[in-house]
Amino acid sequence: ARIEALGGTADQYGEAVGTTHRVFTQIRSAFSDDSEVAIEEVLRGERYIVTQIGEIMTTGPTDDTAELLASIRSDVMEDIEMLEDLDKVA
């Protein structure tokens, strides 16, 4: 909705990198049957998202966009903490 409000067109199916990452994670998990590997792959993707948000924040987005990105980053950081805890047990 935010992209459209700024005059852009939102992707319908996500970025190719995200789609590729999800498929790779599914395949790797299926063949290795290793939850630790799956957690590490998801963590890698989540950390990538945080990095990308950080880079976008340096470009001076509008206040509304910066607020949205900060909220998303906060949610992802919570997910990372949860996954790191799971990784310690796996």
Side-chain angles (χ1 to χ4, degrees):
R2 183 71 188 139
I3 292 170
E4 291 173 359
L6 293 171
T9 304
D11 289 339
Q12 295 296 317
Y13 303 103
E15 289 187 17
V17 172
T19 303
T20 303
H21 174 73
R22 284 188 295 277
V23 170
F24 177 75
T25 301
Q26 290 169 350
I27 292 171
R28 192 166 178 187
S29 294
F31 283 105
S32 67
D33 196 31
D34 185 355
S35 60
E36 187 173 355
V37 170
I39 292 169
E40 285 298 324
E41 287 301 316
V42 174
L43 272 169
R44 191 166 59 93
E46 298 292 281
R47 289 176 181 137
Y48 175 79
I49 291 169
V50 170
T51 300
Q52 293 300 302
I53 290 173
E55 289 179 13
I56 292 168
M57 295 294 270
T58 66
T59 66
T62 64
D63 290 343
D64 289 345
T65 300
E67 185 178 322
L68 176 63
L69 290 172
S71 174
I72 292 169
R73 181 176 46 202
S74 176
D75 290 344
V76 173
M77 292 302 295
E78 287 177 21
D79 291 344
I80 288 172
E81 287 180 29
M82 180 193 67
L83 288 165
E84 287 174 340
D85 289 343
L86 282 173
D87 195 29
K88 291 175 188 172
V89 204

